[in-house]
Amino acid sequence: QSSFFAGAMKNLEKDILRIRDIFNCGRETGKIRAVSAGISDHHNGGKSVIKMEFEHGLKLFYKPRSSAIDSL
């Protein structure tokens, strides 16, 4: 689980500009102010959804599988 979390943080750092553009209208997200892990059923080797809340209001859910089917 800790390597999944570390991977999520690495992907967040890599993709933060795209995340800002797609999910936050290009605005700054600010710092992460809260993280909740284990908020879903476990998938893909015991991994579960991670919820990240940013100081400027954005809430982001990091899933342990592709969310292509979940996209709007």
Side-chain angles (χ1 to χ4, degrees):
Q1 188 78 330
S2 64
S3 63
F4 172 64
F5 184 79
M9 294 300 103
K10 183 177 179 179
N11 287 337
L12 175 66
E13 181 180 29
K14 178 183 65 143
D15 295 331
I16 193 66
L17 295 178
R18 286 183 59 215
I19 289 168
R20 286 177 189 162
D21 288 345
I22 294 169
F23 299 109
N24 210 39
C25 300
R27 297 184 312 255
E28 287 291 321
T29 59
K31 296 178 183 178
I32 295 174
R33 65 178 184 92
V35 175
S36 303
I39 60 172
S40 72
D41 294 339
H42 291 93
H43 301 277
N44 196 12
K47 301 170 188 165
S48 67
V49 172
I50 299 171
K51 178 183 176 184
M52 296 174 239
E53 296 181 49
F54 294 82
E55 65 183 343
H56 294 242
L58 178 68
K59 294 177 184 172
L60 186 70
F61 293 84
Y62 187 87
K63 298 179 112 181
R65 60 175 177 77
S66 171
S67 63
I69 204 165
D70 299 333
S71 297
L72 299 175

